[in-house]
Amino acid sequence: MSVIPAHVGSLSIAGEPEEFLNAEAVPAQDFTGTEYRIADPELRRLNPGAPAFVEVSPDGDTDAGAWVPAEAHVDPLFGFVYLTTAPGPSALVRVSGASLPVHPVALVRSISLSVTNDAVELQVMGDGYKRRAVSLRDFSGELVGLTALDAGLVDGAPLLVEVSKGAGSEVFRAWVMVPELSHKLTPGALYERTVKFIGHAFPMGTGGAIAWGYGNP
């Protein structure tokens, strides 16, 4: 979908997961020995609800028996693979999992994002000042689009959304839920749809969670 000057980009929504096997992973941009990335950009959006299997061939051998399972963390938003230990300079890395293809649904006139942190008090008797610590994080935002938006936006299920500013630019990817979808006819005869979203985070094996991010597709 082409982007016209009155818009900041295009909005895409992820479809049903598609399984893939043995996708090549190559050293990432700031490679120090353990950071790789899935080579095919279409496979870098992973289904966080499905396991991703990482295998390494330490000697760079492509024979079936040369591959061994590797302990790693895979970023499901942008396809980065972080190995626990460096496999060596000749090693090959591959990933199997489920990718999320996206399809464009709207041109985007504007997007806003707000990230918040809950703060809890750590007060004990005798303290002279309040002490606080950050606990749970959250994010919410709003998209204004000018073409038809899929009715599935408001069916209650978590969605992976992607906003792109054009070829070669960074994209915004986020897991969201949509509690509100509104419509407005502007004086220029443009039918705007406003999507208000709240964040939806998936727990990861590292103890953290994946929710949103900016990066190269």
Side-chain angles (χ1 to χ4, degrees):
M1 178 180 294
S2 61
V3 176
I4 58 178
H7 304 80
V8 299
S10 61
L11 168 67
S12 297
I13 302 294
E16 292 298 318
E18 298 178 354
E19 293 187 1
F20 65 89
L21 296 174
N22 304 333
E24 179 189 12
V26 296
Q29 182 174 357
D30 298 320
F31 182 70
T32 62
T34 58
E35 305 87 0
Y36 289 79
R37 195 180 192 192
I38 296 173
D40 187 348
E42 296 303 317
L43 303 179
R44 291 174 179 171
R45 309 175 202 88
L46 299 176
N47 178 11
F53 298 99
V54 180
E55 294 177 299
V56 172
S57 174
D59 298 326
D61 191 345
T62 58
D63 291 341
W67 297 92
V68 295
E71 186 176 345
H73 162 59
V74 181
D75 166 26
L77 281 180
F78 291 96
F80 288 99
V81 180
Y82 302 100
L83 298 176
T84 302
T85 57
S90 301
L92 298 177
V93 178
R94 67 186 188 184
V95 182
S96 299
S99 64
L100 292 167
V102 296
H103 58 277
V105 296
L107 293 174
V108 176
R109 179 182 288 275
S110 66
I111 178 174
S112 61
L113 176 69
S114 175
V115 181
T116 59
N117 293 308
D118 289 343
V120 295
E121 292 187 9
L122 305 176
Q123 199 70 9
V124 296
M125 293 298 293
D127 283 353
Y129 292 89
K130 288 184 177 181
R131 292 182 293 112
R132 298 179 175 87
V134 171
S135 59
L136 298 176
R137 305 183 67 189
D138 194 11
F139 74 95
S140 60
E142 181 178 285
L143 285 164
V144 179
L146 295 182
T147 51
L149 295 172
D150 195 307
L153 283 170
V154 290
D155 67 3
L159 289 170
L160 176 65
V161 300
E162 176 175 305
V163 177
S164 172
K165 295 184 291 183
S169 64
E170 287 191 337
V171 298
F172 168 74
R173 290 176 181 164
W175 279 98
V176 304
M177 300 182 75
V178 179
E180 182 178 341
L181 174 62
S182 60
H183 304 252
K184 180 177 67 174
L185 183 63
T186 66
L190 296 174
Y191 199 46
E192 290 186 346
R193 288 139 171 109
T194 300
V195 179
K196 294 184 178 181
F197 60 84
I198 54 177
H200 182 85
F202 285 89
M204 304 305 297
T206 58
I210 191 72
W212 67 277
Y214 288 97
N216 292 318

